Amino acid sequence: MIAALAIGVAGTLAAAEATGSSDLYGRLDGDVYVAPAGRYRVTLPVLPELGGQVHDTENVVTFDDNLNTHASIACFPLDVDQKTELEVRGPRRYLAYFYTEFVLPDFKKRFPGTTAAETLWVPEYREGAIIGFALLPGGSAFANRETITTKDAGDPPVAKRGNLLFLHGDAVYVVSVELAERITQRSVFNKTPEEENVILRERLLLMANRIQFPSPAKAAAGP
């Protein structure tokens, strides 16, 4: 199962983006996406009239629109080895380990030159969460949707993503959000890295707070 976990966020996103919303592993219930096996529900952060789309695999769902949304939620069940890692390391060190050993390597494989920026521990969120920021050369979902003349036209734009990791039940969740304005408004979006982090942190928490988990009784009974 460690090898399966190594698929990670970036690799599964590639597969998710190839699967249309009419052919989902999960399902749509009005304006709510229901994950496979009913693991969780999430209110859609996109609207069809604004080009909103939903793509998924068995482990990750991606939301896109024509404005400024590119976000995903990944759920990776923990096998026996990973549960042992969690027990030995504790939540904070385990989430940091998962981010550096599984999430970042997949981004690096898909987008060479990817670098990790700051990593934050958020103790008040779901009994502890890690937020990691990453810079992805050529890794933007908005590269073909730039609306303002860009800087350094010959260079691939460097996307910035925030990734929020937390534990729930026997799984680790990874919520990922791209900072769209960094690409679509490159000529005028002059935030400092710290200001970008504040924006991404807020958006990550808003996205994560859309997730609803079934009660233990319902989870035990199945979907």
Side-chain angles (χ1 to χ4, degrees):
M1 278 297 292
I2 292 179
L5 282 172
I7 293 172
V9 175
T12 51
L13 278 179
E17 290 164 2
T19 305
S21 57
S22 61
D23 185 22
L24 293 171
Y25 287 81
R27 61 184 173 85
L28 295 179
D29 183 4
D31 63 350
V32 172
Y33 170 81
V34 182
R39 289 191 296 260
Y40 63 87
R41 301 166 62 90
V42 57
T43 305
L44 299 181
V46 294
L47 296 172
E49 53 266 36
L50 297 179
Q53 298 185 48
V54 181
H55 312 282
D56 72 354
T57 67
E58 293 181 3
N59 294 101
V60 62
V61 60
T62 305
F63 305 101
D64 290 286
D65 66 20
N66 293 331
L67 298 177
N68 62 0
T69 300
H70 179 70
S72 66
I73 301 169
C75 170
F76 298 105
L78 301 180
D79 67 0
V80 173
D81 291 338
Q82 291 301 304
K83 289 178 181 178
T84 299
E85 288 283 353
L86 172 58
E87 183 177 349
V88 171
R89 295 173 183 269
R92 180 173 182 172
R93 291 179 59 231
Y94 177 78
L95 290 171
Y97 151 82
F98 194 95
Y99 180 61
T100 58
E101 293 297 318
F102 297 112
V103 178
L104 279 175
D106 275 342
F107 280 131
K108 291 177 180 179
K109 181 177 180 180
R110 191 177 179 199
F111 308 115
T114 289
T115 56
E118 293 80 7
T119 302
L120 307 175
W121 171 244
V122 188
E124 69 275 14
Y125 187 77
R126 293 190 182 275
E127 300 183 358
I130 285 284
I131 294 179
F133 303 100
L135 299 174
L136 287 61
S140 176
F142 302 93
N144 297 324
R145 289 181 264 172
E146 297 180 61
T147 57
I148 298 179
T149 303
T150 63
K151 305 173 184 176
D152 308 318
D155 299 327
V158 179
K160 187 168 186 175
R161 291 199 195 186
N163 306 281
L164 185 152
L165 289 76
F166 66 91
L167 295 158
H168 181 82
D170 290 331
V172 58
Y173 286 78
V174 184
V175 179
S176 183
V177 172
E178 180 178 350
L179 183 59
E181 295 90 340
R182 202 171 195 269
I183 304 302
T184 62
Q185 301 178 22
R186 281 207 291 168
S187 296
V188 296
F189 190 73
N190 297 311
K191 302 293 185 182
T192 66
E194 293 75 18
E195 290 171 331
E196 292 178 340
N197 292 350
V198 170
I199 295 170
L200 276 172
R201 183 182 188 277
E202 179 180 344
R203 292 179 183 177
L204 283 166
L205 291 173
L206 284 173
M207 186 67 198
N209 284 333
R210 289 176 175 268
I211 303 172
Q212 298 178 354
F213 294 102
S215 66
K218 288 184 178 179

